[in-house]
């Protein structure tokens, strides 16, 4: 831990966050969007873990990371269920084609 | 018995309110007889009371009876009476003539439906007119001033089914309203100047000679000029002839139009010299103009209408010359003979009603002629009145007219040569007056009947007696014992100290009368013997003599032509300049109205629409983000964060 | 080993000490489980058992919450600073309970929910889950709890939105909602991780949170706070995190929409207030805010934007639910106006506003549901001439809409009045020039809101129906509820004193330094 | 008593709501009874009213005062909030209360033929009745505002449901316009409430009378006079507040250019509602200006008097020209209302006793005359469903009784002496004329221009008379119309006679009305000039010091 | 050497993540995603969070990826059949440019923030280093996590259980077609 600067971890997490965001914004498949969101979440979890390393007393970072992983997984499950539902109705999961409601 | 002020107040109230009560009663009566009876009786009561008051106050101390009507802040408006000689003469005149005209109307309007309206309106008029003359302050005067106008409106529009009457009464009211507002503004200016509306205090103020007072004076005379149909407000009066002739006689000849003169007389103490000069010029100009118009008229009533304008012009001029007394004197004498003229003309028209059935205009003088023997009573009273109008000696008209003329010359004498224009104009007016009235006389009564088989009936009972009574009042004897000197009349004596005429007292009557016989002959030749000339075409020599050396033709081609052209020009000016101006004002008003209407629709509502459109535009803009693409939503949200951050970072939010 | 034993013992003691203050939540958890079981066992035979238990559980938890009022006058840090119980939280919990009860009643009679092909057991389960999450949101004082409760409410909301899965639009709404929501929570989590990194603690009300945060550059703390705020803004539907709202609200079943626009929003406000109070918590004066982050300007700007976007967006809408969705965005803007005072009165104003708004909004959605059931209409333009067909419901709708516009004598006016008052107070204290513009914007938006709200009565009463419409189903019970809500709306409007004084009294009874 | 007056309609409203729909005729009788009772109460109050008490800004001058604490809140840092149910009338408001009950009675009678949904109609009418009475009686600003807003809703529906062909547009336009004006008021109300405290209890208060007393302003508050804190955007907040309030009320008056809701609303509204709109609603705006703008911000009243006068003059002339251009009879009358209300503004701007007395008189007079005029329009509209001026001719022959009242109404409106409008306009003009020399607020030319407006007024009324009533009877609908255009029935006479008599009575005995308000108005002018000038001085000082 | 491994995995992480974003082949993307997650867990180890790393692999690789795979197969059979996605026009790519710019901007903002905040010198970290309360390779994180879970974090832990139950029920409800028809 000590030999690798925190900054480097954070650069990686920031990059991952932005890559995830890019996926969210551009991919034409709801599942890929979900993957992008997972990237973003993981970037945050990485942050938590990295900072948590300095917080031995409360171990808050790692605990939070653990919870976050669980929550993310649950979120993916629900999201997938919804996406499958959408697929039943629209026969596609391209978010750009599912726009029956708009102004 | 010595009457106290309290008694007099009651008398005055009785005089004023009895016609008001009559109006209230008559308005809801269907019965012809009853309504007429009530109206006439109340007028008679008023008349009697007026005599009573007159006898009490004539040449006595001025009586003022005050009672507060409204008192708000610094303004206190009285409902009070101001009784002096002027008032008492006016009272007498108004009630008397009204009474007579009402009696006349019983027969004159015997065949009209909804006659109760007529009686009610006449009573209203009487009430308003009396209120006007007894008012002790300008606002009260103004109140009645407007009411007079209103009753005039109603009476002109008595035959409201006639399109012309409907237009005429509107015209009359609106032109009067212009004057009223000028008067009102003038009253306000006066109030600002002196903090009072009271007439009695007015007399104590210095006329001064500043711009404020001149402006004020111009506004004040505006009201009077409109009411008295003076240039440039005169056009309504001829149109007002659309009303029944009795109304024309009462309101548009004898009384209401004279109210303007009355007001001028009242206010003359506060007029600055400039205002007075303006009055004199307008009066003189109106007099000659209207007189020349009268020459060209074929409608029997219009001749008289222009004549009224012309005579009022003389009175206004007299006020402008500083001779209120002569103005008022002429007002009184004129009231009688002009009223009588109208009434007799009314009788003629009434007698010629059958013309109407033939599709002919019963008011057109070309359809008349030779009525002298058919309707002798009318003929005689007309003759008396006309003579009085011309101003032949022994008649009242002579006294008053000469008084004005002499005053005019005296006035000019003390000033520059240019000022003589005014008296000379007045003099010419008297000649023209003689000309048109003789012309009318000739056309109507002399010669042969144009429609011989037409049935004409003379004045009936109710019409006859009022005319005869009025005819008496056309003689000098009722005004003074000296038939040649106006200054000896009681009215003149009662009003003001008068100056002696000096040399003018001889010159002027001579000058004004000298032409009358000639004019009479000319007219007779032109209008009566015309047929004779036409028949005897075979002998030129004979004709030369018969035509008095072709003076007829000469007149026809020079004099008459000239006059005709002049009158036509004047008529054109009237029609195409004044009316155009009026029309223009009206159309400009309409134009403005259109513009405002457009403004209202486009600009103001347009602004509202614009705002609404912007609102919708913003809504539309906000809506643009809502395109249904969830990824775009997220993109906008992230952009939002970035923007917020950047904002925060660089602008310290 | 002994160290651990004593440590654990100590922790367990604290846990046990805290449990009594956690009673409503425990009860909700139990009812949650109970409902799952009942649904499995009895769900098919006795349809109404599940909602019955739900109502019962909600009522009971409400009663427990009310009881907490007495104890919550002290600020209670429970479970190692995970939760914080004070009157503010309790009041919010009571508010949630009231709203949820209304929503449950609404759901029972709603056509879509009632006739859902897959049953409705899960629906109430999830409602209870959401209720629990909201309770936690109101009490969270730890970033973990913040995230956890937000996620829990979100997940439950996602499923609720997508609940009537037979409908095409419902699933679409669900997908949009969950994608947007998941992205937002990822952003929030990133922000939380940064906050944690900067402070070394997750406890918002710990002594060192603000102190540590002050040590990093302003830009860094700003970014972290903004990212966390984004997650909250998503729940509150603040601009620019509002974009999911119209689609999700339109697509979801009407009771769900009602729930999202009222309860979920209220929970968001509870959390936002809690989160912001972190930044005033350890300040010397309660009106003083941590200087490194300009909450006031941020909130003013967002409030102006939000109310403007919401109200102006609503102008164009023809779908009644979408219109109400936009209007609820607009109301968020007004609510934020109440926050900027950072004072008790502002807080009270928000609570009052939320209560009033919720009643009116749920009422309006109820009417929408009734119309939908009775006439199968969804568009405002289809409402032509319906007013006289259902006189009481339509009259009540007018009352609700008036209240939403904020006109006397309804409670909406009083609420708006309080909110404006608190904004004005903020102005008199801080003289922030933007507040005047905020108030002007609020006023203008009120006028704009009138325009679109009154399209409804316009159609109901002023226009003639295109076709002959007869109510298919009169729904007497729901009509009664609607009328009661309308009467409540009026009554609170005419006599706001009782409610407001209660809120004020409760809030004031807490120590002053906790208030924001 | 005022409470009874206020809640009588509410009780009737409840009664109307409870009664079943089946007996449609009952509702109008309930409404009529209510309004008659109200008139009786007001007559009673008229005799109990002491003309010598000067109200306006001191509680001692208010009569029939009722004060009950309504909403009392301890708002923590906001201080305590005190809202009272506080009613009372002084000379100014009592005049308008009298007017309200009378116009409401007229409206009740003219609603006799309402067939469409009578229950809702009368319920809304009663609600409106109560709200208007409330506005005139309320002395608590909050209460005032509630009643003020409460008026909008019934009107929206009354215009929207029972109105003419463009009723939807008209009603929403009306609603938006007036709401736009009133919501801004809310900000000022809040500002006032924060700035004013009850001198006795020390709580923030909505009591208007406290707001009128400069001593009650908290030093350093936003709307206090003597400190730097009263500055917003570089201008004194008080003046801004005045302008905002004025804007709100001006929309209701209405003042050109904020008037465009009026022609639409008046034209589209059913006859009774037009009567109420013109007879009462416009008065509410003017009353607000007097009571609130002038009362609370006398400095603003002086500062803005020139502009208020200007707006008044513009309204007079602009309204008159528009009336001249109108082809719809009702639109003509509506625009004439704009013109007539301009006089109110002009009178108020003059800040002289005469001018303001005239303005109040004009309010009353116009209330009667506008009711009469709109009723007159309603008469022919009821019969043939048309009211284009060009489609009628010679109505006088067809309907003589009717025309009689038309002539009275027209001439009364155009300011014929003997009728109330003359007195009103006279005093307004006197006030406007004397203003320049006494207090220098309104220049002479405005008075002259106002007088010019009277002239145009004469023009359009007379023109209409000439076009519609004189001449040979000729209608667009020919024989059918001739059959439908029967003369007035008893009901209609019952409305028109009292109105005509009233305008006549007031024209002849204006003191009947002047006496009620005079003392109060004297005090109003005195205190406004005195306090206002003082405050304005201070404000200028502060501004110049900056 | 470990440092090199760190940077290697960091590189792998980012490149696989980028590949996920860029590739058109969904199946490959998912495998790359798997790779990314694995790399991440390696980084966790470097951050002294061995238990988290394991959990990451278990939950994500074992759960989420499989779930996603299933989801993909259920929803996108056609695309899986023809592993290569059909070509779309080149300009279609341009639509991503604003998003790309946005992401780059955000990246710059984030990195900028990280650099200016001088992470190594954040007071609490320094304090923690001084107090030697940082986790080192010899610390038993599992134990500490276990203790925390049972003590300070028990409430969140319990809540998560309810949360998961709700999510489970919800997901199951949504995924099934009709009541009693699995």
């Amino acid at each position: 831990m000590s030999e690798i600067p925190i900054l480097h971890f954070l650069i990686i997490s920031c990059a991952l966050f932005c890559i995830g965001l890019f996926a969210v914004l551009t991919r034409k498949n709801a599942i890929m969007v979900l993957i992008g969101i997972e990237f973003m979440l993981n970037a945050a979890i990485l942050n938590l873990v990295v900072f948590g390393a300095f917080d031995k007393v409360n171990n808050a970072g790692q605990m939070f990371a653990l919870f976050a992983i669980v929550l993310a997984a649950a979120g993916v499950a629900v999201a997938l269920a919804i996406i499958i539902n959408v697929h039943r109705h629209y026969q596609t999961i391209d978010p750009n084609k599912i726009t029956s409601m708009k102004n | 018995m010595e009457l106290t002020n309290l008694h007099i107040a009651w008398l005055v109230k009785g005089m004023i309110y009895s016609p008001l009560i009559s109006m209230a009663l008559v308005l809801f009566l269907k019965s012809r007889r009853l309504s007429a009876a009530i109206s006439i009786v109340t007028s008679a009561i008023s008349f009697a009371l007026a005599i009573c008051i007159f006898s009490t106050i004539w040449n006595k101390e001025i009586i003022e009876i005050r009672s507060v009507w409204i008192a708000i802040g610094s303004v206190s408006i009285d409902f009070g009476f101001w009784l002096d000689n002027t008032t008492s003469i006016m009272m007498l005149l108004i009630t008397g003539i009204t009474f007579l005209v009402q009696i006349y109307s019983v027969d004159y309007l015997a065949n009209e439906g909804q006659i109760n309206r007529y009686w009610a309106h006449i009573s209203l008029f009487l009430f308003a007119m009396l209120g006007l003359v007894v008012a002790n302050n300008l606002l009260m005067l103004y109140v009645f001033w407007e009411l007079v106008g209103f009753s005039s409106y109603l009476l002109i529009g008595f035959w409201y089914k006639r399109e012309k009457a409907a237009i005429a009464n509107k015209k009359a009211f609106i032109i009067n309203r212009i004057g009223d507002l000028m008067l009102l503004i003038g009253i306000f200016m006066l109030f600002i100047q002196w903090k009072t509306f009271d007439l009695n205090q007015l007399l104590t103020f210095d006329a001064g000679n500043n711009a404020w007072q001149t402006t004020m004076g111009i506004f004040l005379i505006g009201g009077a000029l409109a009411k008295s149909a003076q240039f440039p407000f005169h056009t309504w009066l001829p149109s007002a002839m659309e009303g029944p002739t009795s109304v024309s006689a009462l309101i548009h000849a004898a009384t209401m139009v004279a109210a303007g003169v009355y007001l001028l007389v009242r206010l003359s103490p506060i007029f600055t010299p400039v205002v007075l000069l303006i009055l004199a010029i307008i009066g003189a100009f109106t007099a000659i103009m209207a007189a020349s118009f009268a020459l060209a008229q074929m409608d029997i009533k219009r001749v008289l209408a222009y004549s009224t304008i012309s005579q009022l012009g003389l009175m206004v001029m007299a006020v402008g010359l500083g001779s209120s007394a002569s103005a008022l004197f002429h007002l009184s004498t004129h009231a009688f003979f002009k009223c009588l003229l109208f009434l007799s003309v009314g009788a003629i028209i009434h007698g010629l009603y059958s013309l109407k059935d033939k599709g002919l205009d019963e008011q057109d003088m070309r359809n008349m002629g030779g009525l002298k023997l058919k309707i002798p009573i009318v003929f005689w009273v007309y003759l008396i009145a006309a003579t009085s109008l011309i101003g032949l000696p022994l008649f009242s008209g002579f006294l008053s007219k000469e008084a004005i003329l002499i005053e005019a010359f005296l006035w000019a004498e003390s000033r520059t040569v240019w000022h003589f224009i005014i008296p000379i104009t007045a003099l010419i007016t008297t000649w023209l007056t003689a000309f048109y009235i003789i012309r009318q006389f000739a056309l109507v009564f002399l010669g042969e009947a144009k429609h011989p088989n037409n049935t004409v009936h003379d004045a009936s009972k109710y019409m006859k007696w009022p005319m005869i009574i009025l005819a008496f009042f056309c003689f000098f004897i009722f005004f003074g014992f000296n038939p040649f000197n106006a200054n000896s009349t009681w009215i003149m004596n009662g009003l003001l100290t008068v100056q002696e005429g000096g040399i003018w007292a001889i010159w002027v009557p001579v000058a004004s009368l000298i032409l009358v016989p000639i004019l009479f002959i000319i007219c007779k030749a032109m209008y009566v013997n015309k047929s004779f000339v036409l028949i005897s075409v075979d002998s030129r020599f004979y004709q030369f003599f018969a035509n008095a050396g072709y003076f007829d033709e000469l007149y026809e081609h020079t004099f008459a032509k000239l006059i005709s052209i002049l009158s036509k020009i004047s008529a054109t000016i009237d029609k195409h300049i004044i009316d155009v101006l009026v029309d223009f004002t009206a159309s400009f008003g309409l134009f403005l109205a259109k513009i405002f209407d457009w403004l209202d629709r486009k600009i103001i509502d347009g602004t509202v629409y614009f705002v609404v459109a912007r609102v919708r535009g913003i809504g539309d803009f906000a809506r643009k983000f809502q395109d249904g693409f969830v990824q775009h939503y997220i993109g906008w949200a992230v952009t939002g964060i970035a923007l917020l951050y950047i904002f925060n970072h660089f602008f310290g939010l | 080993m002994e160290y651990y034993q004593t440590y654990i013992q100590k922790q367990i003691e604290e846990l046990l000490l805290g449990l009594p203050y956690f009673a409503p939540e425990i009860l909700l958890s139990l009812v949650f489980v109970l409902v799952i079981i009942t649904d499995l066992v009895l769900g098919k035979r006795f349809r109404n058992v599940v909602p019955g238990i739900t109502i019962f559980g909600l009522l009971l938890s409400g009663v427990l919450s009310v009881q907490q009022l007495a104890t919550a006058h002290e600020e209670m840090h429970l479970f190692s600073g995970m939760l914080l119980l004070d009157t503010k939280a309790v009041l919010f919990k009571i508010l949630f309970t009231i709203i949820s009860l209304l929503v449950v009643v609404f759901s029972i009679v709603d056509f879509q929910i009632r006739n859902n092909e897959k049953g409705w057991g899960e629906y109430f389960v999830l409602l209870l889950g959401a209720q629990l999450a909201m309770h936690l949101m109101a009490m969270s004082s730890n970033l973990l709890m913040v995230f956890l409760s937000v996620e829990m409410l979100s997940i439950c909301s996602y499923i609720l939105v997508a609940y009537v899965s037979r409908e095409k639009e419902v699933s679409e709404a669900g997908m949009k909602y969950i994608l947007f929501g998941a992205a937002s929570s990822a952003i929030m989590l990133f922000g939380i991780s940064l906050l944690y990194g900067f402070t070394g603690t997750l406890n918002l009300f710990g002594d060192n949170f603000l102190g540590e945060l002050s040590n990093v550059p302003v830009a860094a703390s700003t970014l972290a706070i903004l990212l966390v705020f984004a997650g909250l803004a998503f729940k509150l539907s603040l601009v620019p995190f509002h974009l999911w709202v119209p689609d999700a609200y339109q697509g979801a079943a009407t009771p769900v929409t009602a729930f999202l626009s009222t309860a979920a929003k209220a929970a968001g406000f509870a959390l936002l207030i809690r989160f912001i109070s972190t930044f005033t918590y350890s300040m010397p004066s309660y009106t003083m805010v941590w200087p490194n982050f300009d909450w006031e300007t941020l909130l003013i700007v967002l409030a102006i934007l939000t109310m403007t976007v919401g109200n102006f967006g609503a102008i164009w809408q023809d779908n009644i639910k979408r219109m109400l969705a936009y209007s609820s965005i607009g109301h968020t803007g007004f609510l934020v106006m109440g926050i900027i005072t950072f004072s008790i009165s502002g807080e009270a104003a928000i609570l009052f506003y939320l209560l009033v708004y919720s009643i009116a909004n749920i009422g309006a959605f109820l009417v929408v549901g009734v119309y939908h059931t009775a006439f199968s209409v969804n568009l405002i333009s289809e409402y032509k001439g319906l007013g006289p067909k259902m006189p009481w419901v339509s009259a009540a709708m007018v009352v609700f809409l008036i209240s939403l516009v904020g006109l006397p004598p309804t409670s909406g006016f009083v609420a708006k009045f309080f909110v404006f008052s608190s904004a004005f107070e903020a102005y008199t204290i801080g003289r922030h020039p933007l507040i005047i513009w905020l108030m002007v914007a609020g006023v203008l938006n009120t006028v704009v809101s009138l325009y679109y709200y009154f399209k409804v009565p316009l159609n109901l009463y002023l226009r003639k129906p295109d076709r002959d419409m007869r109510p298919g189903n009169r729904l007497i019970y729901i009509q009664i509820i609607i009328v009661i809500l309308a009467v409540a709306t009026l009554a609170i409007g005419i006599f706001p004193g009782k409610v407001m004084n209660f809120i004020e009294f409760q809030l004031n009874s807490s120590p002053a330094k906790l208030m924001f | 008593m005022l409470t009874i007056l206020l809640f009588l309609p509410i009780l009737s409203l409840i009664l109307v709501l409870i009664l079943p729909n089946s007996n449609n005729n009952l509702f109008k009788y309930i409404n009529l009874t209510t309004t008659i009772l109200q008139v009786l109460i007001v007559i009673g109050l008229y005799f109990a009213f002491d003309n010598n008490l000067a109200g306006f800004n001191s509680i001692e001058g208010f009569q029939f005062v009722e004060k009950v604490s309504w909403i009392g809140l301890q708002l923590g840092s906001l201080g305590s909030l005190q809202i009272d149910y506080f009613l009372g009338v002084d000379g100014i408001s009592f005049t308008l209360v009298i007017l309200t009950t009378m116009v409401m009675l007229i409206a009740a009678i003219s609603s006799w033929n309402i067939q469409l949904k009578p229950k809702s109609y009368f319920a809304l009418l009663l609600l409106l009745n109560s709200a208007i009475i409330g506005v005139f009686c309320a002395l608590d600003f909050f209460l005032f505002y509630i009643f003020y807003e409460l008026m909008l809703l019934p009107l929206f529906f009354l215009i929207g449901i029972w109105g003419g062909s463009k009723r939807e547009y008209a009603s929403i336009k009306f609603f938006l316009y007036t709401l736009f004006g009133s919501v801004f008021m809310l900000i000022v109300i809040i500002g006032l409430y924060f700035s004013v405290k009850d001198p006795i209890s020390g709580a923030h208060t909505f009591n208007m009378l406290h707001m009128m007393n400069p001593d009650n302003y908290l030093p350093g508050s936003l709307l206090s006079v003597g400190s730097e804190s009263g500055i917003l955007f570089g201008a004194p907040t008080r003046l801004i507040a005045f302008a905002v309030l004025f804007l709100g009320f001006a929309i209701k008056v209405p003042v050109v250019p904020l008037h465009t809701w009026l022609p639409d609303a008046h034209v589209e509204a059913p006859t009774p509602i037009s009567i109420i709109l013109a007879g009462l609603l416009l008065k509410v705006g003017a009353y607000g200006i007097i009571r609130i703008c002038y009362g609370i911000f006398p400095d603003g009243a002086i500062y803005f008097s020139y502009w208020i006068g200007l707006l008044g003059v513009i309204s007079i002339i602009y309204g008159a020209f528009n009336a001249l251009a109108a082809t719809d009879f009702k639109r003509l009358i509506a625009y004439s209302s704009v013109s007539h209300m301009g006089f109110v503004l002009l009178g108020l701007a003059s800040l002289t006793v005469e001018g303001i007395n005239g303005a109040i008189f004009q309010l009353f007079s116009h209330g009667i005359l506008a009711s009469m005029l709109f009723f007159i329009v309603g008469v022919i509209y009821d019969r043939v469903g048309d009211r284009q001026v060009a489609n009628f001719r010679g109505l006088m022959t067809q309907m003589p009784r009717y025309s009689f009242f038309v002539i009275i109404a027209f001439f009364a409106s155009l300011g014929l002496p003997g009728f109330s409008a003359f007195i009103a306009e006279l005093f307004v003009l006197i006030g406007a004329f004397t203003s320049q020399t006494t207090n220098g607020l309104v220049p002479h030319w405005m008075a002259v221009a106002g007088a010019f407006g009277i002239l145009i007024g004469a023009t359009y009324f007379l023109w209409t008379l000439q076009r519609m009533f004189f001449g040979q009877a000729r209608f667009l609908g020919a024989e059918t119309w001739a059959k439908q255009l029967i003369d007035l029935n008893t009901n209609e006479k019952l409305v028109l006679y009292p109105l005509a008599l009233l305008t006549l009575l007031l024209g002849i005995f204006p003191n009947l009305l002047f006496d009620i308000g005079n003392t109060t108005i004297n005090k109003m002018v005195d205190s406004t000039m005195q306090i206002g000038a003082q405050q304005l001085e201070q404000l200028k000082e502060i501004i110049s010091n900056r | 050497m470990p440092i090199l491994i760190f940077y290697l995995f960091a590189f792998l992480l980012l490149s696989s993540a980028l590949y996920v974003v860029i590739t058109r082949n969904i199946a490959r993307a998912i495998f790359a995603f798997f790779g990314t997650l694995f790399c991440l867990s390696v980084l966790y180890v470097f951050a002294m969070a061995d238990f988290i790393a394991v959990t990451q692999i278990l939950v994500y690789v074992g759960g989420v990826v499989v779930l996603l795979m299933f989801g993909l197969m259920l929803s996108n059979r056609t695309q899986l059949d023809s592993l290569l996605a059909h070509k779309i026009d080149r300009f279609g790519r341009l639509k991503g440019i604003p998003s790309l710019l946005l992401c780059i901007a955000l990246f710059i903002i984030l990195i900028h923030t990280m650099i200016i905040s001088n992470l190594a010198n954040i007071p609490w970290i320094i304090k923690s280093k001084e107090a030697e309360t940082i986790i080192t390779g010899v610390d038993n994180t599992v134990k500490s996590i276990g203790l925390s879970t049972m003590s300070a974090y028990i409430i969140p832990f319990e809540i998560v259980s309810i949360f998961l139950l709700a999510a489970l029920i919800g997901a199951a409800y949504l995924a099934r077609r009709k009541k009693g028809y699995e």
Side-chain angles (χ1 to χ4, degrees), chain D residues 79 157 199 203 241 263 344 442 444 533:
Chain D
F157 286 111
V344 175
V442 173
H444 283 142

Side-chain angles (χ1 to χ4, degrees), chain B residues 8-20:
Chain B
I8 292 170
W10 279 110
L11 289 179
V12 175
K13 280 180 189 164
M15 175 182 75
I16 297 176
Y17 290 140
S18 58
L20 183 66

